[in-house]
Structure formats: structure tokens, C-alpha cells
């Protein structure tokens, strides 16, 4: 097979490649610079933070000292916040991915009354910003007495409309109808077919939704800020923001918190990076290869 | 082994009549082939018999029992699909065993039947492979093996044989055939 088009040596190809590389470089800088800044700033003393150049290390490298302080300040409550965040993000991420997968599969593969309306409502929900829902959610939660409990963060995070949309499209594509029919002729019930035959084919989509909803809950700030009031339930985002507020308002003692906030932010990024690296191996295409004739 | 009987079977999708009042009597052991152009309802007819589609009206009887309202699980039929529809993440062995596991057949019995089917289809060397590691002809034999092990009352073939049998592009010499060998009585195929 020959590929007709621009050859590698043509000037048009080179121009294209240079443009693309330049655009990528800009995007890379845009993403990497803030991360680099956090790393640099978290390694400084509070004094150096304001007196030395922001994008390079000062002579005094205090990263590990700062991290130690983050975990000991206020009786080590930071560790508690970090565990809260891990717990909320894991439960909400796995739950949201599972619900999205089941809903997307049902919308893709079953015919039922009201299917188009339901899908339209889900599409509409994708366009509503989470922030707009926080106040009504708070009112609902307070009616059922769930305010200031972990449920107030987890339950709303289980609903992830973009995941349903993604999984519907993915299931449509990844699962041949005859595969489901083969399961039916083999005598399996619908849930058995889903759990034993088709869920495996949906795993790349499941992994994608899992990481997206995990990160969405991990980064969520406004919802936990509104529905939680005890520091023991705070996720890292709300906890660090509270320290930051103390630092800006604070006189004397409070000011030392800036480096703690930055070191805390650095620590809170690490698990997300690990999650991405771990999940990467599930993003493999072609899982369904060979099952049906091309 | 079974007698399959269709009485005034109608199937329409919206305003479109696919099958308009079909009467058919298939004897035990009879081999029946449906031939017709694309879209004439051959696949639909097989899917109606299998229970994968609901008839708009009419009755389907297997051995005199009205199965019109029963789902595919309760009809004891096997169907081999046009695309083979193998379970891509399962090995050849697991593909063939799945239906028996669903039916809670004892493990030893499953192993015996899978072994026997694999032997008659010359699939023994491939039992631990996944479908994507097989050739087209081998996949086809796995699909047939999956139908055999369940010891059904009849086999429904939705033209899975077209490709490798005649070796010609589809739609050429053996255009658009579907076979329903009801109550296939070929005993050395079923109980080798």
C-alpha cells in the first residue's frame, strides 16, 4: 500500500511539522510552568518565597522540611484531609464510572420508551456547570440531614453526565449486537451478559470515565466547601484554602503558612499523576478484535 | 430433536412488512435453507425462531409447545451468527463452555462435552487461544462448536458458512442464503 500525500522531505511537510511542534511546545509550557512553580515555591523558606526569583530555586532547599511541617501542623490534620480526598475521589470515581457504563450501555443497546428524551436530558445536564447545582444540592442535603457528612460530597459526585455520554458512544461502537444475541441464545440473562461478556469490552471506556470522574472529584472545591463544615471531613482542596485564608489574613504566625499551602498543593498533585500512570495501561484499543468478522 | 412449526408468522418494523404471514412446518431431522435477496427477511426469520425478535403476530411451536412468548434462553436452540459473535476476551474453551456454565452443567460434564466437540471440529490445539489468534476458518469452527456443545433441539445458521466453504466473495456464487437445519440428526457430529 502506498500513502499518497506529502512526503517526509517536502517543504510542506516540514512546515506543518514545525507549526505543530511549536503549538505543542506552547501547550506544554502552559501546563508545565505552574507545576514547576509549585515545586520551586514549595522548596523555599517563607522569606525566600517573597524575596527570590519565583521560577528558580533559592540557595536554601527546604522542600523536605516543608513537607514535614505540612504533616505536623495542627496535629497532622493534613494527612486526614489527604485520606478524605482519596476516599471521596475513589468511591465517587468508581461509582460514577460504573453507573455511567451501565447507563451508556443501556442507552446504546436497548430500545425502550422515552430513550431519546432521557438521552436529551443527560446531554442537557452535561451543559449545566456543577457550580450552579451546588446551592440546590445543599438545600436537598439539608432536608435529608446529610449536610456535613461524607455522603454530601460522594452522592452528588456519583452522577457524571459526561461519562454517560462517553459510554453511550463507546458502547455503541465497541459491542457488536450479535455478541449480545449470542449470549442470549446461550441462555444468559441481561445482567449476566453485561457482567460476563460486555463489561470487559467496555473497560477502556470505563477506565477513561473513571480517571475523569476521579480527577473531577479530587479537584472539586466548591461543593465540599458548601456542604461540609467540620475540618475532619474536609478534602485537601478545602483544607488548603482554609490555611491560605489564614495566611493572608493572619498577622505574624499566619504568614508562615504560605510555604505549607504550596507544599500541600504539591503533595496533593502526586496521587493524581500516579493514578494517570496506573490507568494508562487500560487505554488499549482493539480489545474486541477477533470476536466478529470484520 | 424437534419439530418446528410456524403459524401465520408476521413481522413488521413500523410500516415495513418484512415477513407477511408465513406458515412453515419443519420435520425432525429436516434440513431447510432459506434463499432470497438481501433484506427479504431471512435473518429476521431465524431471529424470530431463536426468540431474538418478537413476532408481530402468529405462533411458533417447537415440538408442539407454543414458544412464541418465550425468550431465547428457554427455547433450547443454538444459533451460529453471520459474524460468529465469539466472546473476544474468552478462550476457545471458555467460548464453548459459556452456555453450559449458564445452565449450571457440572464441571466434569462441561469439560467432556467441550473436549468432544473440539475433537470433532479439530480444534483441540487451539482450546487455550483467544479468537483473535485464530484464522477465519478456525473461528467459524469455534462458533459451530459453541452451538454443538449445548446439545440443542435444532441448529440455526445465519449464513456463517458462506465465506470459507465456497471461497468466493460474498454476494457472488452463493448469494444470500440462510440455513436452518432443524433437529440436525447427524449424530456423530453431536455425540462424537
Amino acid at each position: 500500500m502506498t500513502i499518497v500525500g506529502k512526503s517526509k522531505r517536502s517543504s510542506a511537510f516540514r512546515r506543518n511539522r514545525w507549526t505543530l511542534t511549536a503549538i505543542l511546545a506552547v501547550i506544554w509550557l502552559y501546563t508545565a510552568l505552574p507545576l514547576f512553580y509549585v515545586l520551586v515555591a514549595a522548596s523555599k523558606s517563607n522569606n525566600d518565597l517573597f524575596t527570590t526569583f519565583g521560577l528558580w530555586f533559592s540557595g536554601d532547599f527546604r522542600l523536605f522540611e516543608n513537607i514535614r511541617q505540612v504533616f505536623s501542623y495542627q496535629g497532622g490534620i493534613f494527612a486526614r484531609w489527604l485520606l478524605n480526598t482519596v476516599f471521596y475521589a475513589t468511591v465517587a470515581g468508581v461509582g460514577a464510572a460504573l453507573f455511567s457504563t451501565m447507563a451508556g450501555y443501556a442507552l446504546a443497546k436497548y430500545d425502550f420508551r422515552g430513550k431519546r428524551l432521557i438521552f436529551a436530558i443527560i446531554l442537557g445536564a452535561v451543559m449545566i456547570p456543577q457550580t450552579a447545582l451546588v446551592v440546590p444540592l445543599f438545600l436537598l442535603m439539608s432536608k435529608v440531614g446529610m449536610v456535613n457528612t461524607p455522603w454530601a460530597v460522594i452522592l452528588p459526585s456519583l452522577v457524571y453526565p459526561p461519562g454517560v455520554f462517553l459510554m453511550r458512544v463507546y458502547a455503541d461502537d465497541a459491542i457488536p449486537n450479535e455478541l449480545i444475541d449470542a449470549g442470549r441464545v446461550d441462555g444468559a440473562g441481561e445482567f449476566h451478559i453485561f457482567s460476563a461478556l460486555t463489561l470487559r469490552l467496555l473497560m477502556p471506556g470505563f477506565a477513561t470515565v473513571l480517571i475523569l470522574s476521579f480527577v473531577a472529584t479530587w479537584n472539586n472545591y466548591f461543593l465540599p466547601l458548601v456542604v461540609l463544615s467540620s475540618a475532619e471531613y474536609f478534602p485537601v482542596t478545602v483544607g488548603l484554602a482554609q490555611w491560605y485564608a489564614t495566611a493572608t489574613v493572619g498577622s505574624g504566625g499566619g504568614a508562615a503558612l504560605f510555604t505549607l499551602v504550596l507544599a500541600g498543593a504539591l503533595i496533593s498533585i502526586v496521587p493524581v499523576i500516579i493514578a494517570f500512570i496506573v490507568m494508562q495501561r487500560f487505554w488499549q484499543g482493539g480489545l474486541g478484535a477477533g470476536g466478529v468478522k470484520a | 430433536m424437534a419439530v418446528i412449526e410456524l403459524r401465520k408468522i408476521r413481522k413488521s418494523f413500523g410500516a415495513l412488512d418484512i415477513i407477511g404471514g408465513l406458515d412453515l412446518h419443519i420435520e425432525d431431522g429436516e434440513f431447510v435453507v432459506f434463499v432470497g435477496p438481501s433484506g427479504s427477511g431471512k435473518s429476521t426469520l431465524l431471529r424470530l425462531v431463536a426468540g431474538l425478535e418478537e413476532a408481530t403476530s402468529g405462533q411458533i411451536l417447537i415440538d408442539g409447545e407454543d414458544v412464541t412468548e418465550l425468550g431465547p434462553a428457554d427455547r433450547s436452540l443454538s444459533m451460529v451468527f453471520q459474524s460468529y459473535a465469539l466472546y473476544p476476551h474468552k478462550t476457545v474453551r471458555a467460548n464453548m463452555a459459556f452456555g453450559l456454565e449458564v445452565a449450571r452443567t457440572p464441571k466434569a460434564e462441561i469439560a467432556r462435552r467441550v473436549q468432544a466437540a473440539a475433537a470433532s471440529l479439530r480444534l483441540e490445539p487451539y482450546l487455550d487461544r483467544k479468537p483473535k489468534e485464530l484464522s477465519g476458518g478456525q473461528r467459524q469452527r469455534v462458533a459451530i462448536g459453541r452451538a454443538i456443545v449445548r446439545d440443542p433441539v435444532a441448529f440455526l445458521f445465519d449464513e456463517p458458512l458462506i465465506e470459507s466453504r465456497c471461497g468466493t466473495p460474498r454476494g457472488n456464487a452463493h448469494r444470500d442464503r440462510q440455513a436452518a437445519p432443524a433437529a440436525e440428526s447427524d449424530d456423530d457430529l453431536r455425540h462424537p
Side-chain angles (χ1 to χ4, degrees), chain A residues 178-179 181 186 196 291 293, chain B residues 47 82-83 86-87 89 150:
Chain A
E178 283 200 342
L179 197 71
D181 284 340
D186 262 344
K293 274 194 258 184
Chain B
R47 294 171 57 82
Q82 193 165 4
S83 67
L86 302 181
Y87 310 130
H89 61 287
R150 292 184 47 237

Side-chain angles (χ1 to χ4, degrees), chain B residues 87 89-99 101 114 127 146:
Chain B
Y87 310 130
H89 61 287
K90 287 183 183 288
T91 60
V92 169
R93 189 192 308 278
N95 259 280
M96 292 206 253
F98 183 74
E101 283 164 2
V114 169
L127 277 174
R146 194 169 64 179

Side-chain angles (χ1 to χ4, degrees), chain A residues 221-275:
Chain A
Y221 167 69
F222 194 47
L223 176 71
L225 175 75
V226 171
V227 296
L228 300 177
S229 52
S230 316
E232 53 174 318
Y233 293 135
F234 283 174
V236 165
T237 47
V238 176
L240 286 179
Q242 201 190 40
W243 278 1
Y244 179 75
T246 321
T248 31
V249 177
S251 49
L257 284 177
F258 281 117
T259 47
L260 293 196
V261 171
L262 284 159
L266 183 67
I267 295 164
S268 74
I269 295 167
V270 174
V272 181
I273 294 173
I274 292 173

Side-chain angles (χ1 to χ4, degrees), chain A residues 178-179 181-188 192 196-198 200-201 286-293, chain B residues 47 52 72-73 77 79 81-90 99 102 131-132 139 146 150 163:
Chain A
E178 283 200 342
L179 197 71
D181 284 340
R184 286 175 184 151
V185 171
D186 262 344
H192 192 169
L197 301 179
T198 52
R200 280 289 292 271
L201 303 182
L287 208 63
V292 295
K293 274 194 258 184
Chain B
R47 294 171 57 82
L52 293 167
L77 299 164
M79 182 156 173
F81 293 87
Q82 193 165 4
S83 67
Y84 310 148
L86 302 181
Y87 310 130
H89 61 287
K90 287 183 183 288
V102 170
K132 69 176 169 205
R139 287 178 199 174
R146 194 169 64 179
R150 292 184 47 237
E163 221 156 302

